[in-house]
């Protein structure tokens, strides 16, 4: 379960950091207000890019923590700039990278209980959750 999750999450977060760096550079080269990108939405009912990055980090830390059976770290999601988003990604990468493979032993059968914003519970075995 470690091999199927942690390296993938690290690669995805690393790619996201690279995309943000290229986006920030593009904004600077073309004298575009960075907030134009950070607040951009692909569709009107979607969250802006800034929130999408926060959610990607939430998923990465949540998935890895639940599978490793450790507490999910809580971040305040107060980022407002490219630099702050890069720091969030780095902090998330540090957390995910700190989880030892031994913590994931038996994770495929571990019960994962989610409460997605409601009193309702969703229960999964670790393999199905991942």
């Amino acid at each position: 379960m470690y091999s199927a999750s942690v390296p993938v999450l690290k690669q995805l977060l690393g790619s996201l950091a690279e995309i943000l760096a290229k986006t920030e550079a593009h904004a600077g080269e073309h004298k575009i207000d960075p907030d134009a990108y950070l607040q951009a939405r692909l569709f009107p009912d979607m969250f802006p890019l800034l929130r999408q990055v926060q959610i990607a980090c939430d998923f990465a830390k949540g998935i890895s923590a639940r599978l490793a059976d450790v507490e999910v770290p809580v971040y305040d999601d107060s980022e407002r700039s490219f630099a702050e988003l890069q720091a969030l990604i780095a902090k998330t990468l540090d957390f995910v990278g700190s989880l030892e493979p031994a913590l994931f032993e038996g994770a495929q059968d571990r019960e994962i209980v989610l409460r997605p914003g409601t009193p309702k519970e969703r229960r999964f075995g670790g393999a199905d959750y991942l």
Side-chain angles (χ1 to χ4, degrees):
M1 292 297 284
Y2 176 90
S3 297
S5 60
V6 170
V8 174
L9 294 169
K10 289 169 65 175
Q11 188 276 325
L12 292 172
L13 289 174
S15 293
L16 182 56
E18 285 294 318
I19 290 167
L20 288 178
K22 289 179 181 184
T23 304
E24 182 178 25
H26 178 82
E29 291 165 10
H30 294 88
K31 301 193 184 342
I32 298 169
D33 178 6
D35 219 36
Y37 288 119
L38 294 170
Q39 295 303 321
R41 301 165 190 257
L42 293 177
F43 201 76
D45 67 349
M46 290 181 69
F47 288 119
L49 174 64
L50 189 104
R51 183 70 185 123
Q52 296 283 353
V53 173
Q54 293 166 338
I55 290 169
C57 290
D58 287 345
F59 273 105
K61 68 183 172 142
I63 289 167
S64 58
R66 289 182 190 102
L67 290 174
D69 200 24
V70 299
E71 190 166 332
V72 178
V74 177
Y75 301 160
D76 62 5
D77 289 339
S78 62
E79 296 79 20
R80 295 290 169 251
S81 67
F82 281 107
E84 290 172 348
L85 288 177
Q86 291 289 8
L88 173 64
I89 293 169
K91 178 169 59 172
T92 306
L93 279 167
D94 286 345
F95 170 73
V96 172
S98 75
L99 299 171
E100 296 295 325
L103 293 171
F104 291 77
E105 289 178 18
Q108 65 275 4
D109 299 318
R110 186 170 293 138
E111 183 177 52
I112 308 293
V113 180
L114 300 178
R115 292 172 187 85
T118 69
K120 295 180 184 177
E121 288 184 351
R122 299 207 52 205
R123 295 178 177 271
F124 303 89
D128 290 335
Y129 173 69
L130 181 58

